[in-house]
Amino acid sequence: MTRFALPFAAFLLCSTALAAQEGEEATTGWNPADWEIEQTDIAVDPGYSFGRLANGMRYILRQNSTPEDTALVRLHIGSGSLDERDDERGLAHFLEHMAFNGSKRVPEGEMVKLLEREGLAFGADTNASTNFETTVYKLNLPRNDEALLDTALMLMRETAGELTIAQDAVERERGVILAERRDRRNYALTETEDRLAFLSPGARYVDRLPIGTLEVLETADAARLRAFYERTYVPENTVLVIVGDYPVAVMEAAINTHFADWEGAGDPVEPETGPIDITRKGETDIYVDPALSERVTVTSFGPWEERPDTSDMRQANLVRQIGYGVINRRLEKVARQADAPFRGAGFGVGDVFEDGRMTNLVIDTADGEWQKGLEAATLELRRALEFGFTEDEVREQVARLRNSIENGVKSSDTRTNGALVGTALNLVDDGTVPATPESSLERFDSYADAITAEMALAAVKADCSPLDNPLIRYHGRSAPEGGQAALRHAWQAAAAAPVEPLAAEQVQSFAYTDFGTPGVVVSEERDDRFGFRLIRFENGVMLNLKQTDIRKDRVSFRVTVDGGTLLNTADDPLKTALVSSMSAGGLGKHSEDELETVLAGHDVRLSIGASTDGFRISGGTTPEDLLLQMQLVTAGLTDPGYRGEAIERYRRNIAEFFAKRDATPAAAYANSVGSILSDGDPRFTVQDQAAYEALDFAKLASDIGDRLANGAIEVALVGDFDEDAAIAAVAKTLGALPQREDAFQERTEARIRTFTADRSTRVIRHSGEEDQALVRMTWPTRDDSDFAEVMKLEMLERVLRIRLQETLREELGKAYSPSTGSAPSSTYTGYGVMSLAASVDLAEVEETRAAIRATLASLREKPVDADLLDRAREPLLEGYANMLKSLGGWMSLADHAQSENERLDRYFQAEPILRSITAEDVQEMARRYLVEGEEFEVLVLPETATGPDA
C-alpha cells in the first residue's frame, strides 16, 4: 500500500523477569483469518510461529541465529496519525515520545538508563517511528540471555498499557517535540506538503502528517494524550514481533507472562483517509523553492483494486513487474546517454491507501531543461506502450529477478534477524504472506519462462491509468518560463508528436575474461586467531581470505589500490575528485549501460571510490559469480571507459550540489567547516564551482593512471566460498597483471593536516528555515597510534553524548538529538578531533551554549559517577562482542590484514582496555582535550539573522 509515510523517529528506551503464568495460554499456529487474508493460498514459511492471546493481541516469533546470540523486538501498534481527531494532530507521535517518560514500573527518565546498562545504545538500539497508519517501537537486543528478553518485554508491556502520561512530564517533553518539528522542517518537507495538497485536495491524510500542528503540540495536555492512548493502544490493535536466538517456547512464555493480563477498549475504528477524486483532469501546479531541483510529474488516477495475496495475484504481479521494469530500463538508458535530456525518470503505479490508484511519470532535469526532459521521457514511454517490448528486454528482467530469488534460496538459512522482521511486518502492514524463498522460486520457475513481451505489455496497459489530460506538477528553483500554460502545452505536444519503434540492439558478451597467465602464489601465512589466510602473488598482489558461512552463499569483497585522496595537493586539490564517476564511464569495450545488460542475471557490480590511502572497489557477490566479479574489477582497473557521458552527469550533479550547498544548517556547516578548520588548506576546502566543472577524464587518467597500473593492490574476500576457488579466481585476474609495487606508499608529507590556531567563534550562514540554528564545537585531539588513549577518548565521547542528551534534550528541551563524535585519524599524523553539535531554535542559541559549557566544565571538574560510566561503556563492549557476527565486521579486519597487520591486535586489546577505564581516566581526557577556551566554535545561523547573538 502506498503510504506517503514520513517516519518521525523518537527514541524508545526500555527492562523485566521471565516467569510463565499458569493458566494463561496463547493460541499458536498460522491462521489466515487472524491477518484478514482468508483468500490466500500461499503456504506460510514454517519457520515462523504465530499466536493470538485471549485478549486479541497477536504475535509473530522466529528463532534465528544470524547474528547469533542477538534478537530484535518490535511492538507494532496499528494506529498512527490518521487516527488523530482534529484536536489531536501530532499526538500519535507525541505519545511515542511519552513511552520513555514514565510508566507504572519505570519512573520517568529511567528507561534510557536501564537499557544503556544492558548495552543498548540510545538511538542505535532503541528507537521508534510513527507514520500515517502505525507506530512501531524497536529494541535490538545485543545478547540472548533470558533476563534481557524479560526486560525488553516488560518495557514493551509498559509502553503498551501502563504509561503514566503525567502532566509535568508532558510539559518537559513538549520542548523536545517542538525541537524535532523544527529540525525536520525544511525545503523537502514543505514541498511534500504542497505536493500532497495538490494531488489530494480535501483528503484527510493530507492534514495528518505525523509531526502534527503547532497549535496542537503547544497546547496538548495529558488528558488528550491519554484519551488517544486508551483508544488506540489496545491488544486487538497490537502485534508483537520477536526474531532472534531464543527458543520459541521461551519467547512465547515471556509474552504470556507480560501481556496476557492486558485489557483494552476494543479495536479502534478504521480511520478515513480520503476522499480522493479520481476523476480530476487537466490541473497544473507550480512550486518554487531555491533548494529544489527541477522535476515534472505527470499523474493520472484510477480506482483502487483489492489484490489479495494469492498465487494467481503473485503471478500477475510478476508480469506487471517485468513490464514496468522494461519501461524504466529504457528511461535509464536515455538518462545515461551522451547529452541526456533528463537526469533521471521513472514510470509506475501505486495505491493511495484504499481510495485510488495513482499512475506517475516522473522526470528529473537539470535547471532550465524541464521541457526537453518532459518531451524525451514522454516519447520513450509512448514508444514502449504503442510498439511494445522486445523479447530480449523481457529476458533481461527475468534474468535479474531469477538471480535475486535464487540467491535468496541459497542464503535462506542465514537470513538476518532484520530481514525476517521485515518480512513479518509486511504481513502485518500489507497482508503479504511470509513464504519460504524456496516456494517463491518454485512459483517463479513455474511461469517465468512463459512470460512474453506481449504479456508484459498487456499487463502494464491493464494496470496503469492512461495519462490523458493528466495532472501536471512542476517544482524547481524558479518557475518555468510561460508558467502553467507552457507546461500544459509541452505535454500536449509530446503526447501528439510522432514516435518510432525502438531500434534493434544486439546483446553482447562480456569481453574481459582473459588477463593472461594466472598468477603464482609465492608466499602464504595463516593467522589462526581469525582464521585468515594471507597470500601474496608473484606480481605483488596481496590476498586476504576469511572463509565463514555466517551468511550462506554470500561473499564480501574489497580491492584497495594504492593512491586515494592523499594524492591531492594544495596545488591540485581536486586530483581525485572524478574517481567516483569512473564506473559511470563504463569499460573500454562496454558502456555502463551495456554492462547492465551483459551482466544481467549475475550478482556483480563495479563501483570505485577514493578513500584516504587508496582507490577502493567493494561490494558483495556469490561464490558462483566470484570469478566474474574479479574479472569485472580487473577490467575496471586496466581498461576504464572514461566516457564523456559520465562527465556530463558529474557536472550536472555538481551544479545541483552548489545550488543547495547551504540549504540547511547541517549542509552549510559541512560545506564550509573544512576550509575554516584547516586555515584554508585547499585539500579540505570546497573549491569554486568552475573548478569542478573544468575537470575531465583525460586529466584524471594522467593523474592516477600510474597508480592503477603499478600501485600496490590488497584484496580481501570474506564469506562463504571455497578457498582454493577464490585463490584461483584472483590468480586469473588481478594476480595475472604485470608486476605491482609490493607496498602502499607512505606519502609522509601528504599526511600533514593542521588544526587552526584561531579559536574565535565563527558564524556560517544557511538559507533554510529562519528559526533554525546549529551550535558546533570541535577540539583537536590526537591520531590513533595509541590505542589505549583512543579508547579513553571514545569513552569520553560516549559520556559527553549521554550528558548532553540528558541536559539539552531531557532537562531543558532545547535540542531533539544532540550529537558527539571522536575521530582520531589513522591517516594524518598527530591529527584527530572531538566534536559536538546541537540543533536549536535561533532564540535559544545563547542558553544552549551556556548549558554546553556547564556540561563540559562538570566533566573537567570531577569524575562522573559509576552508573554513568557503565552506561557509556556497556554499548561499546556489546559492539565489540558482536563485531564478528557479520561480514562487514570481518571485512573491517580483513581489508588491510597484510598492509596493516599490526592493527589486528587491537581487536583483542579493546575489551580489556574498555573494562579498565576509570572515571578518573575520563576526567583526565576531558581536562587534557576539552580545554576551556580551546574549542573551535561555529554558529550556523539563518541568512536573515543579524549577528551571532541574534
Side-chain angles (χ1 to χ4, degrees), residues 29-38 40 44 49-52 56-61 76 238-241 424-434:
W30 169 245
N31 181 3
D34 285 342
W35 309 95
E36 300 179 359
I37 50 172
E38 292 89 342
T40 189
V44 73
S49 295
F50 304 85
R52 180 191 286 271
M57 191 191 91
R58 296 166 293 167
Y59 57 85
I60 305 174
L61 311 175
H76 180 286
T238 301
V239 178
L240 186 67
V241 178
L425 291 177
N426 285 340
L427 168 64
V428 180
D429 290 331
D430 302 320
T432 302
V433 177

Side-chain angles (χ1 to χ4, degrees), residues 319-320 322-324 389 394 451-461:
V319 181
R320 284 190 285 264
I322 289 171
Y324 286 115
F389 314 145
V394 170
I451 297 173
T452 65
E454 184 178 356
M455 291 168 59
L457 176 64
V460 169
K461 285 186 171 181

Side-chain angles (χ1 to χ4, degrees), residues 439-450:
S439 68
S440 296
L441 179 60
E442 182 179 352
R443 279 188 296 274
F444 181 87
D445 283 341
S446 71
Y447 49 73
D449 289 338

